[in-house]
Amino acid sequence: MAIERTLAILKPDCVRKQLIGEVTSHIQKAGFKILGMKMIRLTSETAGGFYAVHRGRPFFDELIKFMSSGACVPIALEKENAVADYRKLIGATDPKDAEDGTIRKLYADNKGENIVHGSDSVDNGKIEISYFFSERELVANNS
Ligand code: CMP
């Protein structure tokens, strides 16, 4: 299987609930290498740019309001089969539908406030990582 990169975001609910360490621990224990990690506060403009594919959908305004409501933590990850493995680790978008043991099942309140984001394809992973990180901010982590 190929080594892939994917973007995780610990969303504002994750930060507010003091779960940065706990959720990052799940990610690392599942074998993901952290290439880059930072805490930032998105504006409505930067959140809108990131979620541009969802513009026009009924939940868009709520999503942008939530994503710009507090600090979040984008994390660039690398692993074999990273995109699918990370999506399996976080579970379905709606925590009601997420499998037991997944991050969203364990920690999320609802579909809108669902603790974490994950890229949905290898190509989007590259685009999304570059939205938050320059190439020199991505540090090899081979140990
Ligand atoms: P995320 O993986 O970050 O990508 C888009 C986000 O929109 C999604 O997680 C959800 O948190 C949010 N969202 C809110 N309402 C909906 C909905 N009805 N359908 C899909 N996504 C939704």
Side-chain angles (χ1 to χ4, degrees), residues 3-142:
I3 299 283
E4 297 172 356
R5 291 180 176 186
T6 192
L7 181 79
I9 305 177
L10 311 187
K11 296 185 177 186
D13 54 338
C14 182
V15 177
R16 274 194 284 272
K17 289 176 170 179
Q18 306 274 53
L19 289 171
I20 294 174
E22 209 146 320
V23 172
T24 305
S25 175
H26 277 277
I27 293 170
Q28 290 188 296
K29 282 179 182 155
F32 292 86
K33 303 276 189 204
I34 294 176
L35 304 181
M37 183 168 183
K38 59 176 74 166
M39 183 152 74
I40 58 165
R41 171 106 185 229
L42 295 175
T43 62
S44 344
E45 288 72 31
T46 50
F50 182 77
Y51 282 117
V53 292
H54 295 303
R55 200 177 289 279
R57 297 182 72 175
F59 59 86
F60 183 76
D61 288 353
E62 199 186 321
L63 173 63
I64 297 317
K65 195 170 161 205
F66 168 59
M67 288 302 291
S68 56
S69 68
C72 68
V73 180
I75 311 176
L77 297 172
E78 189 172 78
K79 183 186 173 299
E80 258 189 13
N81 203 38
V83 171
D85 284 1
Y86 178 75
R87 289 177 75 80
K88 192 165 170 43
L89 178 72
I90 63 178
T93 304
D94 189 333
K96 286 204 295 286
D97 304 326
E99 279 182 39
D100 283 350
T102 60
I103 289 172
R104 284 171 171 158
K105 183 69 164 197
L106 286 167
Y107 304 115
D109 290 335
N110 57 63
K111 199 189 251 188
E113 307 209 353
N114 63 355
I115 298 284
V116 279
H117 167 81
S119 308
D120 64 4
S121 67
V122 172
D123 284 347
N124 281 338
K126 288 180 188 155
I127 294 166
E128 291 181 1
I129 287 173
S130 70
Y131 199 79
F132 291 104
F133 298 95
S134 66
E135 205 42 55
R136 73 185 162 80
E137 289 176 303
L138 300 174
V139 183
N141 172 356
N142 300 313

